[in-house]
Amino acid sequence: MKYVVLIHSNPHPWGHPTIDFTEIGRAIPADEREAMGKEFDALLAELSASGELISGLALDAPESARVYRWEGKKPVSTDGPYAEAKEFLAGFFVLDCATRERAEEIAAHFAGPGDTIELRPEMEF
């Protein structure tokens, strides 16, 4: 079954990896952040090799978004972000896991300083 790992964050300035741009992340010594980055890269390599990692993207700043809403009888577009929030969608990864437990195990590794991780399964039809 496929799952999406959604990474919500609020880096200042906006950038990736988010750990380098969040207040809590910058408080971590550089050598520790580098070690965490290497662990994350190893995780992505492992997930790629196992076929569990389908894809992923780091997203640009919320201000670069274009929002589309239905008004009257047509879509109307405005500049983003969608809503006032403390955290925004910073990126995502798509996983294909045999069980929800495996997806949850993997998703826990995506949680980093200053980020909130959401794991959501695909809808089954």
Side-chain angles (χ1 to χ4, degrees), residues 15-32:
H16 293 278
T18 56
I19 189 174
D20 291 339
F21 298 94
T22 60
E23 186 176 329
I24 191 170
R26 284 190 300 262
I28 297 170
D31 59 329
E32 287 181 39

Side-chain angles (χ1 to χ4, degrees), residues 91-102:
F92 66 91
F93 291 88
V94 179
L95 307 174
D96 191 356
C97 299
T99 65
R100 181 174 182 100
E101 290 76 19
R102 175 63 178 151

